[in-house]
């Protein structure tokens, strides 16, 4: 069975309070993209504005560019794909089996108040379809409200990039908010790995979240297992 997956990525390439470059954290796209293609699933990559998707230069450094990311980054078709992402408005009426929010610090600026994204996620979740987010992409869930008026993440088990990891990344002074604190303020049952910067994935019904870039492979594997479980 061919499933339809929407991967949402950022358009923001620079921090608001700094000249430092940011963007999509590449591995948070490549692992889910790779596994979906191998399963024969349809994949759409969209961003708030459509068009070019900047890549966080930190995610291209030697120790961060894993085998899967390196493979796709070397492919011209893949780079062209990232230069021509669809806009969220263009795909908001399409049906997907999964909406997946990839991370990177850029998402802290263009995911957080995007109404199209919020409406799409709420609709997706309420019809029982899968919603997933990783690292800073989890911030895209913060302001999503369900039809009962409550925040989607209230009382849900969830994870995302924590404040100590923000310190380790050296971005604590220039990020627009503390993601870990914001997730807790929304009433979520926030969880994190005992050891920072290690893989950690949390599943709560049809909501799946990953803590950091090192969770890229695991969250993709968990999603694929969920699809296969539902297909039985």
């Amino acid at each position: 069975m061919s499933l339809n997956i929407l991967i949402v990525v950022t358009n923001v390439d620079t921090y608001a309070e700094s000249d430092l470059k940011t963007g999509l954290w590449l591995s948070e796209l490549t692992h889910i993209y790779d596994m979906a293609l191998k399963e024969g699933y349809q994949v759409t990559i969209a961003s708030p504005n459509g068009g070019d998707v900047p890549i966080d230069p930190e995610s291209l450094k030697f120790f961060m560019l894993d085998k899967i990311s390196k493979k796709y980054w070397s492919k011209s078709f893949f780079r062209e794909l990232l230069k021509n992402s669809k806009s969220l408005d263009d795909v908001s009426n399409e049906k997907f089996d999964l909406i997946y929010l990839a991370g990177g610090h850029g998402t802290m600026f263009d995911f957080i108040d995007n109404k199209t994204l919020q409406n799409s996620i709420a609709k997706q979740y309420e019809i029982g379809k899968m919603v997933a987010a990783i690292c800073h992409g989890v911030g895209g869930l913060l302001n999503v409200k369900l039809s009962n008026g409550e925040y989607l993440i209230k009382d849900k088990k969830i994870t995302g990039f924590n404040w100590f990891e923000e310190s380790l990344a050296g971005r604590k002074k220039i990020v627009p908010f503390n993601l870990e604190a914001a997730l807790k303020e929304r009433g979520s049952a926030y969880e994190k790995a005992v050891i920072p910067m290690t893989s950690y994935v949390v599943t709560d019904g049809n909501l799946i979240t990953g803590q950091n870039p090192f969770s890229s492979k695991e969250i993709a594997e968990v999603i694929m297992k969920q699809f296969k479980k539902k297909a039985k």
Side-chain angles (χ1 to χ4, degrees):
M1 180 175 63
S2 181
L3 301 180
N4 200 12
I5 293 175
L6 174 64
I7 301 177
V8 187
V9 294
T10 184
N11 292 119
V12 174
D13 68 354
T14 309
Y15 293 83
E17 303 294 331
S18 166
D19 292 332
L20 279 176
K21 292 296 183 183
T22 181
L24 162 71
W25 195 274
L26 190 61
S27 69
E28 295 172 14
L29 165 64
T30 55
H31 282 268
I32 183 72
Y33 183 80
D34 181 66
M35 289 190 201
L37 289 192
K38 285 176 177 172
E39 294 293 337
Y41 300 158
Q42 299 294 315
V43 179
T44 299
I45 298 176
S47 57
N49 298 328
D52 190 52
V53 178
I55 306 299
D56 190 319
E58 295 293 322
S59 72
L60 299 176
K61 289 187 174 177
F62 180 76
F63 290 109
M64 295 296 177
L65 198 62
D66 60 26
K67 187 178 176 183
I68 293 294
S69 299
K70 194 173 183 179
K71 180 180 91 172
Y72 282 101
W73 193 236
S74 69
K75 305 288 187 185
S76 57
F77 87 89
F78 185 73
R79 293 202 187 195
E80 282 300 311
L81 192 63
L82 292 180
K83 287 179 182 174
N84 297 283
S85 67
K86 293 189 175 182
S87 78
L88 281 176
D89 286 335
D90 287 342
V91 300
S92 61
N93 291 322
E94 294 185 27
K95 294 180 179 177
F96 296 98
D97 298 286
L98 164 70
I99 294 180
Y100 173 96
L101 311 185
H105 283 97
T107 63
M108 300 186 87
F109 300 95
D110 64 353
F111 277 14
I112 200 79
D113 293 317
N114 188 293
K115 296 295 183 189
T116 303
L117 182 60
Q118 291 169 17
N119 292 336
S120 296
I121 292 171
K123 187 169 64 176
Q124 177 85 357
Y125 183 81
E126 291 196 309
I127 61 172
K129 295 290 186 180
M130 204 183 301
V131 173
I134 182 169
C135 197
H136 293 91
V138 178
L141 305 175
L142 268 176
N143 293 326
V144 177
K145 283 188 174 180
L146 302 178
S147 54
N148 63 6
E150 293 195 340
Y151 287 107
L152 182 155
I153 64 172
K154 182 185 177 186
D155 299 325
K156 305 292 191 315
K157 289 193 296 183
I158 198 169
T159 189
F161 207 67
N162 70 53
W163 196 231
F164 184 65
E165 289 173 325
E166 210 67 84
S167 297
L168 295 176
R171 299 294 186 266
K172 203 169 179 178
K173 293 182 179 177
I174 56 174
V175 291
F177 59 91
N178 176 339
L179 178 60
E180 178 182 357
L183 293 171
K184 290 176 179 174
E185 285 168 10
R186 287 284 185 261
S188 74
Y190 178 84
E191 299 179 4
K192 58 186 173 184
V194 174
I195 301 173
M197 298 296 192
T198 56
S199 180
Y200 193 72
V201 175
V202 173
T203 301
D204 189 328
N206 56 329
L207 179 64
I208 302 173
T209 49
Q211 183 175 319
N212 51 42
F214 303 98
S215 312
S216 300
K217 182 181 178 184
E218 185 180 353
I219 192 171
E221 291 173 339
V222 169
I223 289 167
M224 296 302 138
K225 284 179 184 174
Q226 289 287 323
F227 278 145
K228 288 173 183 174
K229 191 187 297 181
K230 286 188 175 185
K232 288 182 180 175

